[in-house]
Amino acid sequence: MGVWEFILRGGGRRFLKRKGSDAGEAGRALEELRSSLYNDFHTSEGAKRQQQRFCGPGAALTFNFVVSVGIIMANKMVMGTVGFNFPVALSLIHYVAAWVLMAVLRALYLMPIAPPLKSTPFSSLFALGAVMSFSTGLANISLKHNSVGFYQMAKVAVTPTIVAAEFILFQKSVSLRKVITLVIVSFGVAVATVTDLEFNFFGACVAVAWIIPSAVNKILWSNLQQSGNWTALALMWKTTPITIFFFLVLMPLMDPPGLLSFNWNVKNSCAIMISALLGFLLQWSGALALGATSALSHVVLGQFKTIVIMLSGFLVFNSDPGLTSLYGAVVALGGMSIYTYLGLKESTTGAKRIPSTSRQSSHSLKSKVIPVGEKLETRPMDSV
């Protein structure tokens, strides 16, 4: 009886109390884990953190670079070998395929959660969808009616347009060293790629009209993701229907007739579908790159892609771009290296400022803590 009395009176109570305490701690830990997983997968803030964690600037830019090279070859096959000479219709097919793929992801509960619509004005989403359609459609039309050299010259003009537009819209300035570096990059790319300037009046008007939508498109993609909790896929899901609508309006105005009479056999349809799949990946990777970096960095990446393609043709396929183009490519690569160095230096400087600021805030918080018995109570300090 003595043993049972000990168990029931003292030791058993302590054992049951300790067991209940362990169960309570395990329950709290499980609840915290569930709350963390819910925040990561069922809130826009958590989805944004997951995108930043798994797709940083380096991964996003590399992804976009690889897909860009792939879609250039796919579109050359579609426009050349297949003979699908309907640039706006091809862009429409790309975005319809992207919307269908995102609908499948949404049905499987794999689409990231979008922030509340009241956090972003519908006018911003509508503007992004509109300029995206004009940027893509006018780029394809410009390439069709102008020489490659004139098309590249228009692309070079996007860089100063972004600098001016960001200053006008968001009062965002660029350091003098970066401006000089961007001038060097643009000059090198122009010398390397602008070998002919053949164009007609209509093609020139289209190229000039394309510059502003292209710049605003990149700025809006970058700004909406960095200022809010938008992920790339969530923003694509909201803006793609608007872009499709504008493509439907532009297609009969800018594409030649004969789309319905095109030979839609299995071979041609498969080639167009491959191009559409790469188009979805290009749109996604471009949105990731713009969200992780900036509009200017994305433009520099595009110019780097152009230089790499030209040098690859020279080194691998023995093409002869000429000494002038090679000198321009070297100048452009040097400017891009300096621009990357300046960007990394600014990022490092910004990262050093954040801990010092957090230390100051934590010090001020400690000064507000007042002991009350055995607990610490934080009270707001009255302003004098």
Side-chain angles (χ1 to χ4, degrees):
M1 293 296 293
V3 175
W4 286 107
E5 288 180 2
F6 171 77
I7 293 175
L8 294 175
R9 292 181 181 179
R13 292 176 181 175
R14 287 194 297 271
F15 174 75
L16 294 174
K17 184 178 180 180
R18 185 169 63 250
K19 186 175 181 181
S21 176
D22 292 342
E25 291 178 359
R28 285 192 297 271
L30 181 60
E31 187 63 28
E32 290 177 359
L33 178 61
R34 290 176 59 187
S35 176
S36 176
L37 291 175
Y38 182 87
N39 289 332
D40 284 342
F41 294 101
H42 293 86
T43 64
S44 58
E45 295 87 351
K48 182 68 178 293
R49 286 194 299 269
Q50 293 296 321
Q51 176 176 297
Q52 293 173 340
R53 181 184 304 173
F54 294 105
C55 193
L61 291 172
T62 304
F63 182 26
N64 184 242
F65 174 78
V66 173
V67 175
S68 299
V69 175
I71 198 170
I72 287 174
M73 294 185 289
N75 283 347
K76 281 185 177 181
M77 179 181 65
V78 171
M79 294 283 191
T81 306
V82 175
F84 191 81
N85 297 316
F86 308 96
V88 179
L90 182 62
S91 301
L92 174 64
I93 293 172
H94 284 186
Y95 279 86
V96 169
W99 188 84
V100 170
L101 289 172
M102 288 187 289
V104 172
L105 293 176
R106 186 178 177 85
L108 297 175
Y109 299 99
L110 297 176
M111 178 68 68
I113 299 297
L117 290 178
K118 62 182 180 180
S119 64
T120 304
F122 177 75
S123 58
S124 299
L125 299 176
F126 184 84
L128 179 56
V131 298
M132 191 159 46
S133 61
F134 281 99
S135 174
T136 306
L138 292 176
N140 290 333
I141 296 171
S142 174
L143 188 58
K144 180 180 179 181
H145 290 276
N146 297 314
S147 65
V148 177
F150 193 83
Y151 175 76
Q152 291 295 340
M153 182 64 74
K155 288 181 66 176
V156 170
V158 173
T159 302
T161 305
I162 288 178
V163 175
E166 286 189 326
F167 180 77
I168 294 172
L169 296 175
F170 306 109
Q171 289 74 48
K172 183 178 180 181
S173 59
V174 182
S175 64
L176 180 60
R177 290 181 295 178
K178 275 194 171 184
V179 169
I180 296 174
T181 305
L182 289 171
V183 170
I184 295 173
V185 171
S186 300
F187 174 77
V189 172
V191 172
T193 59
V194 179
T195 56
D196 59 326
L197 290 175
E198 296 179 3
F199 61 93
N200 55 44
F201 179 75
F202 176 76
C205 292
V206 171
V208 173
W210 167 78
I211 293 172
I212 293 179
S214 178
V216 174
N217 179 45
K218 296 178 185 297
I219 292 171
L220 288 178
W221 270 108
S222 180
N223 182 262
L224 284 175
Q225 289 187 80
Q226 294 180 6
S227 62
N229 290 316
W230 288 97
T231 60
L233 281 175
L235 195 54
M236 287 168 58
W237 173 252
K238 293 295 184 180
T239 57
T240 297
I242 302 172
T243 305
I244 291 174
F245 168 77
F246 277 96
F247 275 137
L248 290 173
V249 174
L250 291 174
M251 186 174 63
L253 300 175
M254 296 186 172
D255 268 356
L259 177 62
L260 297 179
S261 60
F262 178 75
N263 186 16
W264 293 93
N265 57 31
V266 176
K267 179 182 177 181
N268 293 345
S269 299
C270 288
I272 293 173
M273 286 299 103
I274 292 173
S275 175
L277 176 60
L278 290 174
F280 164 70
L281 294 178
L282 179 67
Q283 185 187 358
W284 184 24
S285 63
L288 287 172
L290 286 166
T293 57
S294 65
L296 278 177
S297 297
H298 191 257
V299 169
V300 173
L301 173 68
Q303 294 171 338
F304 174 72
K305 173 191 64 180
T306 303
I307 295 298
V308 167
I309 291 174
M310 190 200 74
L311 292 178
S312 299
F314 172 71
L315 297 174
V316 178
F317 301 105
N318 296 322
S319 62
D320 186 15
L323 286 176
T324 303
S325 296
L326 292 177
Y327 290 149
V330 172
V331 171
L333 289 177
M336 292 172 190
S337 301
I338 298 173
Y339 181 85
T340 304
Y341 167 75
L342 293 176
L344 292 174
K345 187 177 180 180
E346 289 181 0
S347 300
T348 305
T349 305
K352 288 181 180 178
R353 290 176 183 172
I354 294 175
S356 62
T357 306
S358 61
R359 282 197 298 268
Q360 292 176 1
S361 62
S362 63
H363 176 71
S364 62
L365 180 62
K366 289 178 181 178
S367 65
K368 303 175 189 177
V369 176
I370 302 173
V372 180
E374 295 182 355
K375 297 182 180 180
L376 294 179
E377 179 182 358
T378 59
R379 296 177 181 171
M381 297 180 65
D382 295 333
S383 58
V384 179

